Amino acid sequence: MVLTGAGISAESGVRTFRDDGGLWEGHDVNAVATPEGFARDRELVQRFYDARRRSLAHVEPNPAHLALARLEEELGEDLLVVTQNVDDLHERAGSRRVVHMHGELLRAACEACGSRPRWEEDLLPSPPCPVCGARALRPDVVWFGEVPYELDRIGRAVSGCDLFVSVGTSGSVYPAAGYVSLAASSGAHTLELNLEPSEGSRFFDEVRTGPAGRLVPEWVEELLGG
Ligand code: BJW
């Protein structure tokens, strides 16, 4: 199982959250990434996500995404990618077995009927929900205090895997940050691939530092015996 975070998309030009010059710089996290912030100022939050959704048109998967897609070609159902990212770069690289635990920029969520339609346009100014017509669409992303998606499926994959690899995540957001310990306690070998040691590095059996665009293809080659 491979857990990915913002660092895997950094070399594609998608900003991370907590690095220098990252997304949170200049943004109050509580204002743009909590349900309370959204309730306070819907327009500000919609504008923040509309800009990020639009920026997807200008980025491409990098060698790290492509290497994971290649690994899936070889391993099939023996590989699951769980991403905290809301971009679509894994899918565009060719990965099919991807769980977006923090949602997707290219979906909206209707607060009136609960539907989650695919959404490529801006959410300002409040277009109607294609299912129920209510003007109650929000970005389909998971904010602090909300429950991430597919936790049962992820929990089964983490506790059932023999190799747990974390790529490009600071290990500062739960429940994802706790998966390495769960995998280790279930007997998996754990490997971190990150630009620098993360907050959770001490929990991994093995830590490799460097850019994901180099480390992930190298590791995939090694695993496939290339
Ligand atoms: C490179 C690189 C390169 C750079 N190559 N590497 C337990 C303890 C304490 C608190 C909590 C807890 N449990 C829950 C909480 C509360 C909270 C939480 O974790 N708070 C923390 C601040 C402590 N968690 C929640 O509220 C979660 N919900 C929850 O727990 O529900 C309760 C529940 C759980 C389980 C069962 C039942 C109930 C929800 C968390 C939602 C997070 N949402 C966000 C926003 C999503 C939408 C959006 O994109 O705007 O998700 S926040 C943000 O952080 C985003 C990311 O997915 C997430 C993680 O960030 P990530 O990916 O790690 O990015 P960075 O920037 O932090 O790190 C990048 C890394 O890459 C760095 O290390 C770089 O060095 C590296 N890097 N370039 C390789 N080229």
Side-chain angles (χ1 to χ4, degrees):
M1 146 150 189
V2 178
L3 172 71
T4 67
I8 197 171
S9 296
E11 289 154 79
S12 295
V14 180
R15 280 197 285 170
T16 59
F17 294 90
R18 296 167 183 83
D19 297 315
D20 286 347
L23 267 167
W24 291 158
E25 211 170 75
H27 285 100
D28 175 359
V29 177
N30 293 315
V32 295
T34 63
E36 294 78 17
F38 187 53
R40 240 183 339 262
D41 191 343
R42 293 177 76 95
E43 197 174 319
L44 171 89
V45 177
Q46 297 284 29
R47 222 180 307 116
F48 177 68
Y49 283 95
D50 281 351
R52 288 174 59 195
R53 192 179 307 102
R54 268 189 250 129
S55 72
L56 289 183
H58 309 292
V59 297
E60 296 290 336
N62 67 54
H65 299 103
L66 294 166
L68 291 182
R70 168 155 181 253
L71 188 61
E72 186 183 304
E73 269 173 29
E74 298 293 328
L75 298 185
E77 295 193 354
D78 285 339
L79 175 71
L80 182 68
V81 173
V82 173
T83 188
Q84 298 169 84
N85 298 343
V86 295
D87 65 50
D88 62 341
L89 293 178
H90 283 303
E91 286 85 350
R92 280 201 261 155
S95 289
R96 293 290 164 262
R97 290 176 48 79
V98 182
V99 176
H100 283 270
M101 66 180 294
H102 292 163
E104 297 173 67
L105 277 175
L106 293 177
R107 281 188 195 283
C110 179
E111 293 177 309
C113 72
S115 64
R116 298 172 61 200
R118 188 170 164 84
W119 202 268
E120 296 182 6
E121 310 299 323
D122 285 355
L123 283 172
L124 265 183
S126 294
C129 169
V131 177
C132 73
R135 293 187 184 275
L137 294 174
R138 56 164 274 183
D140 186 21
V141 301
V142 178
W143 289 317
F144 288 111
E146 296 183 324
V147 180
Y149 286 119
E150 298 200 54
L151 289 179
D152 288 347
R153 181 180 179 197
I154 298 170
R156 281 194 302 275
V158 175
S159 52
C161 70
D162 53 5
L163 177 57
F164 176 88
V165 183
S166 169
V167 183
T169 172
S170 58
S172 59
V173 175
Y174 289 83
Y179 290 154
V180 57
S181 303
L182 177 60
S185 68
S186 309
H189 180 73
T190 57
L191 166 66
E192 177 176 77
L193 306 176
N194 208 54
L195 196 57
E196 58 198 4
S198 75
E199 282 187 30
S201 283
R202 65 186 182 283
F203 300 117
F204 287 83
D205 296 317
E206 197 186 339
V207 175
R208 299 183 191 176
T209 53
R214 174 171 62 79
L215 291 187
V216 179
E218 278 176 7
W219 166 69
V220 167
E221 276 300 300
E222 192 182 305
L223 196 69
L224 297 178

